[in-house]
Amino acid sequence: MDVAIADLIKTVILGVVEGLTEWLPISSTGHMILVDEFIKLDVTKQFMDMFLVVIQLGAILAVVVLNFEKLNPFSSWKSRQEKRDTVELWKKVIVATLPAGIIGLMLNKFMEEHLMTAPVVATTLIFYGILFIIIENYNKRRHPRVTDLRNLDYKTALIIGFFQVLSLVPGTSRSGATIIGGLLFGASRYVATEFTFFLAIPVMFGASFLKMVKFGIHYTGAEVLILVLGMVTAFIVSILSIRFLLSYIKTNDFKAFGWYRIVLGIVVIAYMFFVGDPTADN
């Protein structure tokens, strides 16, 4: 097994970017497009395509570890009612997963082939950034009707699930789309964000599984090392990122992320103008 130190450093950087951008509503795709311009791993395109999806398993594991007690319906520490509440939570997660599971399987290939372009990413970054700011201004005059996950009804969970479908368009941000759906339909910032984290578990596990099946089981030792290192890095950074976001939104709104998205979208446009479309060869 021969892996260059430079590739290991690049893998760690990619893991850091994944761990940060997967949970903050700022689009991991938008960041990966820019990062990929400067960080090229010495691997095949097929492995890289798989790596950028499967690395998410590390991020998902962070959600499971941080919320294991809350997500475990068999915990001996829970009362019978708390166990029923946990089962109900999982049912809502499954219901919310259905739109992306069904529509995503039908449209994902088309989206990747036709919309994975820098202009699309820049447009969605800016559009949803503006939308975050508008929604936060609109919500100043409203009080959330759902302030606890136990009060999140199935209808609202399904609506949030349909918003997750929007993230099939590159640059949207899966967490950003679902948080926006939650905010628009009466969930508090904390509930919308927490449900978004839980909703990611089946979706991202499923996406990673399909990518690994498509790639096959023929890995070199170097590829295994890169994949594991990327996931471990994403896991560690995700722990910090999730804790930060849940703490931040207790006293702040999402406007800062909206402005950040707008600036990043402008950066992508400027990069295209001066250097060229970084997705042109994809």
Side-chain angles (χ1 to χ4, degrees):
M1 180 173 64
D2 186 18
V3 185
I5 297 298
D7 277 335
L8 296 181
I9 294 173
K10 292 173 184 177
T11 300
V12 169
I13 294 173
L14 289 170
V16 170
V17 173
E18 166 62 25
L20 283 174
T21 61
E22 189 61 53
W23 305 116
L24 304 183
I26 53 178
S27 174
S28 58
T29 302
H31 287 79
M32 285 299 189
I33 282 178
L34 292 177
V35 172
D36 188 55
E37 276 297 282
F38 304 99
I39 296 179
K40 301 286 187 182
L41 288 176
D42 186 19
V43 296
T44 64
K45 184 181 184 302
Q46 291 76 16
F47 176 82
M48 192 63 188
D49 289 343
M50 181 272 297
F51 170 81
L52 291 177
V53 174
V54 177
I55 193 177
Q56 296 173 347
L57 287 176
I60 279 298
L61 186 58
V63 174
V64 175
V65 169
L66 286 174
N67 299 278
F68 184 77
E69 190 66 23
K70 181 175 289 189
L71 295 171
N72 180 15
F74 308 108
S75 172
S76 60
W77 297 98
K78 289 183 176 180
S79 66
R80 183 172 298 179
Q81 182 59 49
E82 288 173 330
K83 290 179 181 179
R84 282 198 291 264
D85 290 341
T86 305
V87 171
E88 282 297 302
L89 172 60
W90 274 110
K91 288 180 181 178
K92 293 168 189 174
V93 167
I94 292 170
V95 166
T97 301
L98 293 177
I102 297 171
I103 300 174
L105 284 175
M106 293 189 295
L107 298 181
N108 186 57
K109 184 177 180 181
F110 174 84
M111 296 292 188
E112 286 185 350
E113 291 177 350
H114 299 281
L115 295 183
M116 185 60 79
T117 66
V120 171
V121 170
T123 300
T124 51
L125 280 169
I126 293 172
F127 174 77
Y128 285 100
I130 294 172
L131 195 56
F132 262 119
I133 295 170
I134 291 173
I135 290 172
E136 286 291 9
N137 286 334
Y138 171 64
N139 278 349
K140 284 182 178 179
R141 303 185 298 272
R142 303 168 69 212
H143 294 287
R145 61 178 178 81
V146 183
T147 56
D148 190 293
L149 270 179
R150 290 173 296 182
N151 299 327
L152 183 72
D153 57 80
Y154 283 93
K155 179 182 177 181
T156 305
L158 182 61
I159 290 171
I160 292 173
F162 275 107
F163 269 83
Q164 184 170 235
V165 176
L166 297 174
S167 65
L168 290 173
V169 181
T172 298
S173 168
R174 192 202 61 80
S175 62
T178 51
I179 288 172
I180 283 175
L183 293 177
L184 279 175
F185 286 88
S188 67
R189 295 187 191 100
Y190 197 91
V191 169
T193 302
E194 197 173 29
F195 189 68
T196 290
F197 291 163
F198 299 157
L199 186 54
I201 297 173
V203 171
M204 290 166 62
F205 264 120
S208 297
F209 175 76
L210 291 176
K211 278 290 185 181
M212 293 182 76
V213 169
K214 183 178 180 180
F215 183 79
I217 58 174
H218 306 291
Y219 296 89
T220 65
E223 289 173 340
V224 171
L225 178 58
I226 287 173
L227 195 58
V228 171
L229 180 60
M231 287 192 291
V232 170
T233 305
F235 168 78
I236 294 171
V237 176
S238 289
I239 292 282
L240 302 174
S241 179
I242 291 169
R243 285 177 171 170
F244 162 76
L245 185 58
L246 290 177
S247 175
Y248 178 85
I249 59 175
K250 287 179 180 178
T251 54
N252 299 275
D253 58 28
F254 285 101
K255 284 185 182 179
F257 298 108
W259 286 113
Y260 178 86
R261 290 179 63 101
I262 293 169
V263 171
L264 181 62
I266 294 172
V267 168
V268 173
I269 292 172
Y271 190 89
M272 285 189 297
F273 182 79
F274 291 106
V275 181
D277 186 346
T279 60
D281 296 330
N282 290 350

